[in-house]
Amino acid sequence: QVQLVESGGGAVQAGGSLRLSCVVSGSIVKINSMGWYRQAPGMQRDWVAIISDDDTANYADSVKGRFTISRDNSGRTLYLQMNSLKPEDTAVYYCNADVVTPMTFTAMDFWGKGTQVTVSS
């Protein structure tokens, strides 16, 4: 069973920084893309940043230049460095991974349970 567990959320003042982490565990053949999404109260879940298996990163316009997505050499830990945080960044942040498992040998989407980020003005 593939599991994703996020950590690193918290409460900060505007202009502050946080670093989110997401650890992927379980039996995996290959991890394709991984990404961060966020969902504010009453809003739909939106993508924030995505990194492909060749480490190509893409960012939503709202976070470009402030957030950096990366992963470790094992490919099983995903990070999101968030700088110059704004109140509008307040949301639950979710980790996503597109994973090929030995059960099916096809790519499937997995999600973490989320970590809360609160930015006060």
Side-chain angles (χ1 to χ4, degrees), residues 4-6 20-24 34 36 76-79 95:
L4 279 63
V5 178
E6 303 99 335
L20 305 183
S21 299
C22 171
V23 178
V24 182
M34 298 182 72
W36 290 98
R76 285 186 176 244
T77 302
L78 182 70
Y79 302 102
C95 176

Side-chain angles (χ1 to χ4, degrees), residues 1-20:
Q1 181 75 12
V2 176
Q3 288 189 320
L4 279 63
V5 178
E6 303 99 335
S7 62
V12 295
Q13 290 192 323
S17 298
L18 283 173
R19 190 192 197 202
L20 305 183

Side-chain angles (χ1 to χ4, degrees), residues 16 18 20 36 38 48-49 59-60 62-69 80-86 89 93 117 119:
L18 283 173
L20 305 183
W36 290 98
R38 66 187 181 187
V48 175
Y59 299 91
S62 59
V63 307
K64 207 171 288 184
R66 300 187 297 122
F67 291 10
T68 303
I69 189 172
L80 185 68
Q81 178 66 43
M82 305 186 295
N83 299 327
S84 302
L85 283 161
K86 305 175 181 179
D89 294 319
Y93 283 69
V117 172
V119 184

